Amino acid sequence: MDYGKITLDEMKKGCKYEKEQDAYVCNHCGQIFHAGQVLQMDDSFFIAESAVRKHIRQIHGSNLEQLLCSESKYNTLTRNQRDLLAMFYSKMPDKDMAKKLNVTEATIRRQRFTFREKAKQAKFYLAMYEMAFEDEPADAEQMIPIHNHAAYVDDRYLITEDEKQQIVETFFSSTQPLVLKSFSPKEKKKVVILGKIAEQFVYGKKYSEREVNEILRPVYEDYMTIRRYLIMYGFMERTKDGRQYWLTN
């Protein structure tokens, strides 16, 4: 998910409206709910916007729970902070929270105060950021977004859209179907190549190793190397036994 293109309200709702598709999309699994459709769920009928919210509650527990558990590089909260926010959300009394965490009620109140101060800092920064960049020229260099599970966040990700297009044109002999000519040893080029190949997979779908190989084999002869690097660079994840693979968001 590109957090640079999603609004705060969409993050809080757990879904976003995609104008091109005229549909609501779940932030957590990518399931699509087309506007204008009436969907049946649990013997009741819902319009798309209501259906996606019910889907989030049924399948993902709660939107806050998913955000707290997210392994995104943008989630910098400690385990203790995540637990505290979950308890504040549940409206647990301070005395019960204190007992559960083996701390004083004063500590709980201090933590609540700290969270509120951090929220004020975040608002202050966001206001300054949006004012600084709101009139940015349309032709300003646009950087490609860094995927949330990037294993190595450094200069290799400082890639403009123009650079990305040039790398794709240089290293792929065809994009439909996707065919890779050579796998570059240069880190920045690897990021672009792997990102392009990752587009061959469907977000939210689980793949067996055999299915992954069947998708990668026509793309590049040494498909096992590509499979390994997709995992190394965080574009995909797999179970410890290697039986299931999936695209990260």
Side-chain angles (χ1 to χ4, degrees):
M1 182 189 304
D2 184 357
Y3 286 105
K5 295 182 179 179
I6 190 171
T7 67
L8 179 60
D9 187 55
E10 288 171 337
M11 287 186 67
K12 290 167 66 177
K13 287 181 178 179
C15 64
K16 58 183 177 295
Y17 175 71
E18 295 284 0
K19 187 175 182 179
E20 292 183 358
Q21 300 184 70
D22 190 21
Y24 294 89
V25 182
C26 174
N27 293 344
H28 309 299
C29 68
Q31 185 166 334
I32 298 172
F33 298 79
H34 292 282
Q37 286 187 325
V38 177
L39 299 100
Q40 184 175 3
M41 302 175 73
D42 294 340
D43 299 324
S44 297
F45 295 89
F46 301 86
I47 60 174
E49 188 172 7
S50 298
V52 67
R53 291 179 181 178
K54 184 174 180 63
H55 158 82
I56 291 169
R57 291 194 301 271
Q58 285 187 333
I59 305 301
H60 303 295
S62 77
N63 187 47
L64 177 63
E65 179 182 340
Q66 291 299 311
L67 291 173
L68 290 174
C69 295
S70 172
E71 295 181 0
S72 166
K73 63 180 180 294
Y74 298 113
N75 186 358
T76 59
L77 296 178
T78 65
R79 180 72 265 172
N80 185 56
Q81 289 172 326
R82 298 183 197 191
D83 292 341
L84 279 166
L85 282 177
M87 285 185 276
F88 284 133
Y89 178 72
S90 71
K91 304 300 186 290
M92 182 182 294
D94 286 2
K95 64 178 181 180
D96 293 341
M97 292 175 61
K99 184 177 181 180
K100 184 173 182 177
L101 298 174
N102 195 29
V103 296
T104 65
E105 289 185 50
T107 298
I108 299 299
R109 290 193 293 271
R110 186 163 57 251
Q111 290 288 348
R112 183 184 287 106
F113 173 79
T114 300
F115 280 127
R116 287 174 177 166
E117 289 300 297
K118 286 184 178 295
K120 294 174 187 177
Q121 292 171 7
K123 287 181 182 178
F124 198 84
Y125 165 77
L126 188 58
M128 293 187 293
Y129 170 83
E130 291 184 347
M131 286 189 290
F133 290 100
E134 64 182 351
D135 295 323
E136 190 173 36
D139 60 352
E141 284 192 328
Q142 296 297 314
M143 310 301 291
I144 66 170
I146 302 175
H147 60 284
N148 294 328
H149 292 262
Y152 316 99
V153 181
D154 51 28
D155 287 355
R156 77 189 72 189
Y157 284 95
L158 297 179
I159 307 168
T160 67
E161 289 290 348
D162 288 342
E163 286 178 319
K164 174 185 175 181
Q165 185 59 33
Q166 185 178 15
I167 293 170
V168 169
E169 291 175 356
T170 300
F171 285 88
F172 290 92
S173 59
S174 169
T175 55
Q176 291 185 345
L178 194 66
V179 179
L180 178 65
K181 291 189 292 187
S182 62
F183 188 49
S184 175
K186 302 291 186 180
E187 296 301 324
K188 181 178 289 190
K189 293 175 181 178
K190 279 181 184 177
V191 170
V192 173
I193 291 169
L194 293 169
K196 188 65 179 177
I197 294 175
E199 294 175 4
Q200 303 302 296
F201 297 88
V202 177
Y203 178 66
K205 181 177 179 180
K206 296 292 180 67
Y207 297 86
S208 66
E209 185 173 287
R210 179 179 179 181
E211 290 172 324
V212 172
N213 292 343
E214 288 174 351
I215 292 171
L216 295 180
R217 189 179 286 110
V219 176
Y220 190 58
E221 182 179 11
D222 188 3
Y223 61 89
M224 289 184 289
T225 292
I226 299 298
R227 188 185 69 205
R228 183 172 69 254
Y229 272 96
L230 285 170
I231 299 295
M232 285 175 58
Y233 278 67
F235 287 97
M236 297 190 76
E237 290 186 358
R238 65 183 175 187
T239 55
K240 290 183 178 180
D241 59 14
R243 292 186 176 183
Q244 284 193 320
Y245 291 70
W246 62 91
L247 196 65
T248 58
N249 61 347

